[in-house]
């Protein structure tokens, strides 16, 4: 019950904080989410009753949702196209490191209250460090705060050893480079537009199914660790270890094969692995564990790809809202996964058949999404409508499109984005 409440917090957080981030900025939501997570997670360690504990767990999930969404959006809106896959995967490896550390901490600190407090305290440090995170330049410009955007760009230029070029950058030049984005900011969009506008509706449906399938199948494996006959501490380390090669393969696939192919392949392979578990005899524990670990690796790849892919598909004017709405479905999947386990009392093969089939459906839905590799971030709905599902994947980003993403720091020299 506490785990389902935690997932409900992540679900609600994605809906609420996604819209608030588009209204008030990425950094305020990131900072406040760190503080909320630090306070609520620490509070959970001192909970006197189960209802109080569940309230704190709900707030933990709410905060984690804001941290995850804001981090990915800042990566996408700050980094050039060629660096996004690398940085997103690097952040994913931080998650893997945490999964390595947690079983060791749990083994060393058997009392759950002390364990809860131990893993909560670092978030107070992250809250303080987040004050030095720069706000998204794209969001500042779209919100009419060009002067503040210019100030941040000059600070970044100085950090990158381009202080003189940064000082030469003027407010007029900044507005000229982002003229189209400024014009698009006049139109305000809400979550309802994700379903009202045809191109967004189709994309949201496919992404939501992919997100749902990933969370649904991922937590089916995560909750079934005791079924494989392996020490739970060791299996958690194995589950974390598979992420190392899985995410390395993911970054290569994202960079060379594209987001579209990577996402579809990850879910289709995961679905196949889970369905295969149905036919493996119960006495073949090694094979069952190997299939589960392989499926978990594929689903980790799907998560890494979806965070990047979703943020690249939605236009800037509705990006965080779209991310929150799509990501919500992985939490719905994670909440429903425990309920499907109950059907195993009727027939043991039913849960894995359901989990595997949903993963295959999610992979199939990903095939209908457009490719984003080497494409500039869409700023407006019109930019998105220009993309054709059947268009060939561009081999090289056009110079004109590159220029639209780079704010030059001097009139006739290299820009910040290319430095």
């Amino acid at each position: 019950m506490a785990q389902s409440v935690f997932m409900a917090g992540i679900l609600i957080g994605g809906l609420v904080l996604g819209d608030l981030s588009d209204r008030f900025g990425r950094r305020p939501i990131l900072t406040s989410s760190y503080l909320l997570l630090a306070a609520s997670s620490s509070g959970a360690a001192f909970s006197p009753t189960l209802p109080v504990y569940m309230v704190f767990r709900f707030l933990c999930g709410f905060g984690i949702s804001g941290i995850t969404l804001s981090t990915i959006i800042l990566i996408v809106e700050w980094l050039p196209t060629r660096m996004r896959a690398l940085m997103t995967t690097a952040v994913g490896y931080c998650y893997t490191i945490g999964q390595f550390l947690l079983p060791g901490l749990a083994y060393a600190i058997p009392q759950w209250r002390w364990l809860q407090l131990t893993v909560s305290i670092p978030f107070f440090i992250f809250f303080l460090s987040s004050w030095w995170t720069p706000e998204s330049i794209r969001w500042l410009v779209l919100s009419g705060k060009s002067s503040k955007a210019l100030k941040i760009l000059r600070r970044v230029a100085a950090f990158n050893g381009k202080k003189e070029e940064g000082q030469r950058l003027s407010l007029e030049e900044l507005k000229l480079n982002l003229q189209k984005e400024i014009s698009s900011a006049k139109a305000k969009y809400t979550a309802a537009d994700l379903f009202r506008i045809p191109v967004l509706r189709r994309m949201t449906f496919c992404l939501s199914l992919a997100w749902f399938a990933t969370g649904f199948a991922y937590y089916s494996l995560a909750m079934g660790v005791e079924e494989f006959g392996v020490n739970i501490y060791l299996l958690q380390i194995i589950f974390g270890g598979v992420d190392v090669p899985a995410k390395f393969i993911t970054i290569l696939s994202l960079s060379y094969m594209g987001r579209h192919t990577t996402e579809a392949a990850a879910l289709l392979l995961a679905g196949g692995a889970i369905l295969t578990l149905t036919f493996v005899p119960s006495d073949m524990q090694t094979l069952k564990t190997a299939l589960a670990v392989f499926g978990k690796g594929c689903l980790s790849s799907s998560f890494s790809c979806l965070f990047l892919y979703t943020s690249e598909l939605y236009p800037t004017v509705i990006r965080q809202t779209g991310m929150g709405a799509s990501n919500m479905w992985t939490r719905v999947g994670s909440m429903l996964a425990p309920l499907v386990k109950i059907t195993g009392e009727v027939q043991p093969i039913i849960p894995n058949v359901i989990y595997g089939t949903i993963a295959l459906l999610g992979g199939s839905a990903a095939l209908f999404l457009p490719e984003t590799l080497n494409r500039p971030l869409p700023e407006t709905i019109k930019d998105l409508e220009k993309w054709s599902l059947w268009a060939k994947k561009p081999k090289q980003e056009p110079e004109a499109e590159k220029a639209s993403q780079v704010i030059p720091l001097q009139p006739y020299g290299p820009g910040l984005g290319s430095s």
Side-chain angles (χ1 to χ4, degrees):
M1 177 62 71
Q3 185 67 9
S4 294
V5 169
F6 171 75
M7 291 300 174
I10 297 180
L11 187 155
I12 302 300
L15 289 174
V16 175
L17 297 179
D19 183 62
L20 291 179
S21 180
D22 282 336
R23 292 173 181 267
F24 302 109
R26 287 41 167 142
R27 200 191 76 169
I29 299 302
L30 177 66
T31 301
S32 58
S33 295
Y34 271 129
L35 181 59
L36 175 62
L37 179 58
S40 57
S41 186
S42 299
F46 300 98
S47 301
T49 62
L50 180 61
V52 174
Y53 175 76
M54 288 195 293
V55 169
F56 280 124
R57 289 297 289 167
F58 177 87
L59 294 175
C60 285
F62 196 92
I64 283 177
S65 190
I67 293 169
T68 304
L69 292 175
S70 298
T71 299
I72 295 298
I73 292 297
L74 283 169
I75 288 173
V76 169
E77 294 187 344
W78 261 107
L79 296 180
T81 305
R82 65 183 181 278
M83 291 296 296
R84 287 180 204 141
L86 178 63
M87 191 60 192
T88 303
T89 304
V91 171
Y93 272 123
C94 295
Y95 179 92
T96 301
I97 293 171
Q99 195 166 6
F100 273 128
L101 293 176
L102 185 58
L105 286 172
Y107 186 80
I109 310 174
Q111 291 80 17
W112 73 267
R113 292 182 185 273
W114 284 108
L115 176 62
Q116 179 73 30
L117 186 61
T118 300
V119 300
S120 304
I121 291 175
F123 285 99
F124 286 104
I125 301 174
F126 302 150
F127 160 69
L128 295 175
S129 66
S130 67
W131 285 94
W132 280 269
T133 303
E135 180 58 272
S136 166
I137 296 298
R138 291 172 182 269
W139 181 85
L140 287 171
V141 171
L142 293 180
S143 301
K145 301 178 181 179
S146 299
S147 297
K148 190 174 182 179
L150 180 62
K151 183 179 178 181
I152 292 177
L153 276 176
R154 285 174 174 169
R155 193 179 78 189
V156 172
F159 184 86
N160 287 342
K162 301 279 186 179
K163 186 175 181 179
E164 292 184 3
E165 291 89 334
Q167 292 299 322
R168 287 199 292 267
L169 181 63
S170 66
L171 193 60
E172 292 72 20
E173 190 175 2
L174 175 61
K175 290 182 178 180
L176 181 63
N177 275 275
L178 299 173
Q179 187 173 7
K180 185 178 72 171
E181 289 86 342
I182 295 172
S183 300
S184 68
K186 296 177 182 178
K188 299 297 181 181
Y189 296 95
T190 65
D193 292 300
L194 296 175
F195 305 96
R196 183 181 63 82
I197 301 172
V199 64
L200 287 177
R201 181 170 61 243
R202 182 176 66 251
M203 193 171 69
T204 299
F205 174 79
C206 292
L207 283 171
S208 297
L209 184 53
W211 275 105
F212 176 84
T214 301
F216 187 66
Y218 184 93
Y219 287 98
S220 74
L221 294 175
M223 290 184 304
V225 292
E226 296 178 356
E227 300 174 2
F228 302 113
V230 181
N231 179 280
I232 59 172
Y233 296 102
L234 177 61
L235 189 57
Q236 285 295 340
I237 293 174
I238 294 173
F239 267 21
V242 72
D243 279 6
V244 176
K247 286 174 179 172
F248 179 73
I249 294 172
T250 300
I251 189 173
L252 294 177
S253 181
L254 286 171
S255 300
Y256 295 100
M257 297 179 64
R259 286 65 157 145
H260 168 269
T261 303
T262 302
E263 178 56 31
L267 278 176
L268 292 174
L269 288 172
I274 294 173
L275 287 176
T276 304
L277 281 171
T278 307
F279 305 102
V280 177
S282 58
D283 58 338
M284 299 181 68
Q285 295 294 341
T286 303
L287 180 57
K288 291 187 70 174
T289 302
L291 284 170
V293 169
F294 175 77
K296 194 266 183 185
C298 291
L299 292 168
S300 294
S301 296
S302 178
F303 266 125
S304 297
C305 181
L306 275 174
F307 275 112
L308 175 64
Y309 198 16
T310 305
S311 58
E312 288 184 335
L313 281 171
Y314 282 111
T316 301
V317 292
I318 200 171
R319 181 169 294 123
Q320 191 85 336
T321 302
M323 276 286 291
S326 299
N327 183 256
M328 171 194 75
W329 288 102
T330 199
R331 307 310 165 191
V332 174
S334 63
M335 291 171 65
L336 291 178
L339 301 178
V340 175
K341 282 285 184 184
I342 300 174
T343 62
E345 298 177 6
V346 179
Q347 180 59 251
I349 67 170
I350 292 178
N352 280 340
V353 170
I354 296 175
Y355 294 136
T357 301
I358 294 297
L360 293 178
L361 288 174
S364 301
L367 294 172
F368 293 92
L369 292 169
E371 181 56 73
T372 61
L373 179 63
N374 292 332
R375 286 184 180 273
L377 283 178
E379 303 290 349
T380 66
I381 305 298
K382 288 184 178 180
D383 290 342
L384 189 62
E385 290 173 342
K386 291 177 183 177
W387 291 8
S388 172
L389 178 62
W390 297 278
K392 294 181 179 180
K393 183 174 65 176
K395 300 295 182 183
Q396 187 174 0
E397 189 176 347
E399 293 299 324
E401 292 179 339
K402 283 184 181 178
S404 68
Q405 299 187 82
V406 177
I407 301 172
L409 292 179
Q410 55 184 347
Y412 303 102
L416 174 62
S418 59
S419 61

